[in-house]
Each structure stands twice: as C-alpha cells, then as structure tokens.
Amino acid sequence: MSGNLRARFALTKSIVDDQVIDITKYKDYIGYDQATIKDKVYCTHNPGFSMLMALPYLLITKPISFISDSPATKENFIKEAWLTKTLTMAILISLTLLSFLFILKSY
C-alpha cells in the first residue's frame, strides 16, 4: 500500500478518532508524505479524500472494535486503510453509476 494512501488514512483516523488534524500518532506507519512542524506531523495532501473516507471508516471500524480489541499495529492499520479505501471507492462508483443511469433515464 502506498505511503500516499497511508497518510490520507492516518488523517482520517486522526479526524474521526481524536478530532485533530495532526497525524503524529501514526507517523511510524506512513513512511513519507508527511511534514513535521514543531514536533507535530501533518499529512502533505489535501484533506478531501480523507474526509470522504470518514463515513466508511466509521462503518468498518466501529463494529469491528466491539467484536475485537486488537492492538494498534502497522498490520492492522494497513488492513483498516485498505478496507476503508475499498468501501469509499465502492460508494463513489455506485453514486456515479446511479447518477449516470438517472441522466440516461431522463433522455
């Protein structure tokens, strides 16, 4: 998984779980695509996709956290990131297809 996605997902986790925009807590999981300012680490990408991933992140991780209290590891971070990205893309593609069908129906 690319550092790009890991940085964006770290921002999603920080916003949803901690209500902050610094990703210092996840800096060891990211690799590159991070900027350090006064001992705080920030994502170097715009927050658009991170904000889009917030709802899928909640839909995936909150039910799982009730079932399993797994430790915060890089492996779990990457699994959560992949699941969240996949669900986000599925939602976006579904909405695009529905919009396309709606446009076709109106003709």
Side-chain angles (χ1 to χ4, degrees):
M1 176 179 302
S2 71
N4 180 347
L5 179 60
R6 285 183 280 166
R8 291 175 190 269
F9 182 67
L11 181 57
T12 300
K13 281 183 72 78
S14 291
I15 290 170
V16 173
D17 293 343
D18 305 323
Q19 293 79 43
V20 296
I21 59 169
D22 72 273
I23 57 173
T24 307
K25 190 172 168 179
Y26 309 106
K27 68 180 178 181
D28 295 332
Y29 304 155
I30 298 167
Y32 57 94
D33 288 341
Q34 56 184 321
T36 304
I37 302 171
K38 295 183 181 179
D39 297 328
K40 297 274 187 180
V41 179
Y42 297 94
C43 179
T44 57
H45 302 286
N46 63 10
F49 193 69
S50 296
M51 298 298 264
L52 284 174
M53 288 196 302
L55 180 61
Y57 170 71
L58 283 171
L59 291 173
I60 289 170
T61 59
K62 295 309 174 188
I64 291 173
S65 67
F66 289 121
I67 298 168
S68 167
D69 191 23
S70 58
T73 63
K74 185 174 183 176
E75 182 179 320
N76 289 340
F77 179 87
I78 290 172
K79 285 179 186 176
E80 285 180 353
W82 185 85
L83 286 169
T84 302
K85 176 203 68 152
T86 303
L87 182 58
T88 302
M89 295 308 294
I91 290 169
L92 292 174
I93 290 168
S94 298
L95 290 174
T96 303
L97 289 173
L98 286 173
S99 299
F100 184 68
L101 290 173
F102 179 75
I103 291 169
L104 284 177
K105 188 178 178 183
S106 67
Y107 284 108

